[in-house]
Amino acid sequence: GAVVSQHPSRVICKSGTSVKIECRSLDFQATTMFWYRQFPKQSLMLMATSNEGSKATYEQGVEKDKFLINHASLTLSTLTVTSAHPEDSSFYICSARSTSPGYIQYFGAGTRLSVL
Amino acid sequence: QKEVEQNSGPLSVPEGAIASLNCTYSDRGSQSFFWYRQYSGKSPELIMSIYSNGDKEDGRFTAQLNKASQYVSLLIRDSQPSDSATYLCAVRGAGSYQLTFGKGTKLSVIP
């Protein structure tokens, strides 16, 4: 299957700092990428849909000024958690949608964010 | 609102048995259906995709789709302890970019 690379895999930061997470589709172009958040023992929660060259579409309740998304190219989307607080600690997972028939979504390995 | 329903489990099966995972969806116009496996602390990985009614087999896995009943299932033959994970059913509606995920069924294969 297609490969989606997500970095970093784990980050620990102090409250008030910003953290950038990168998501790259390595062997296919992804005009659409998705960012999810998952708390322990809970299901995936879609945060936003990222389209190359345009503004991201955020789900209800997700603060766009706190979770900045930039989809600068067909293979790269970034999520920046600004002024992180302990309640932002979670597992963040990106997903890239293939443009091949079937339009399968492939997931990155996820980033575990811990805010102290 | 589009919904995807799964039994949360846990579903426990002995090693070597067939595990049957079920999923129903509310959007009758849904076109694409996926099963993902998620190990604890890891991200989801694609197991199967299915787009038309009937069965689709890949190794020990068989996906079954019945659009009339709005039902999709995943069978795992000769279950192994390494199959122990949470299985997520995902559905994409017609003309939609997004997948709607079920909450997942936790499968435990007992050695």
Side-chain angles (χ1 to χ4, degrees), chain B residues 24-67:
Chain B
T24 59
Y25 58 94
S26 63
D27 181 9
R28 186 170 287 278
S30 297
Q31 299 288 320
S32 308
F33 307 86
F34 306 88
W35 284 99
Y36 289 86
R37 177 176 63 197
Q38 186 175 23
Y39 291 111
S40 180
K42 303 294 184 182
S43 67
E45 58 177 319
L46 181 69
I47 298 293
M48 294 280 287
S49 60
I50 187 166
Y51 306 99
S52 55
N53 281 328
D55 294 359
K56 179 181 179 182
E57 186 174 319
D58 183 1
R60 296 186 295 113
F61 300 95
T62 299
Q64 299 174 318
L65 175 61
N66 184 325
K67 289 185 178 180

Side-chain angles (χ1 to χ4, degrees), chain A residues 34 38 97 102-103 105 108, chain B residues 36 38 43 92 97-99:
Chain A
F34 304 90
Q38 188 174 37
R97 177 178 176 265
Y103 304 106
Q105 267 185 236
Chain B
Y36 289 86
Q38 186 175 23
S43 67
R92 180 184 295 126
Y97 284 107
Q98 296 177 1
L99 292 179

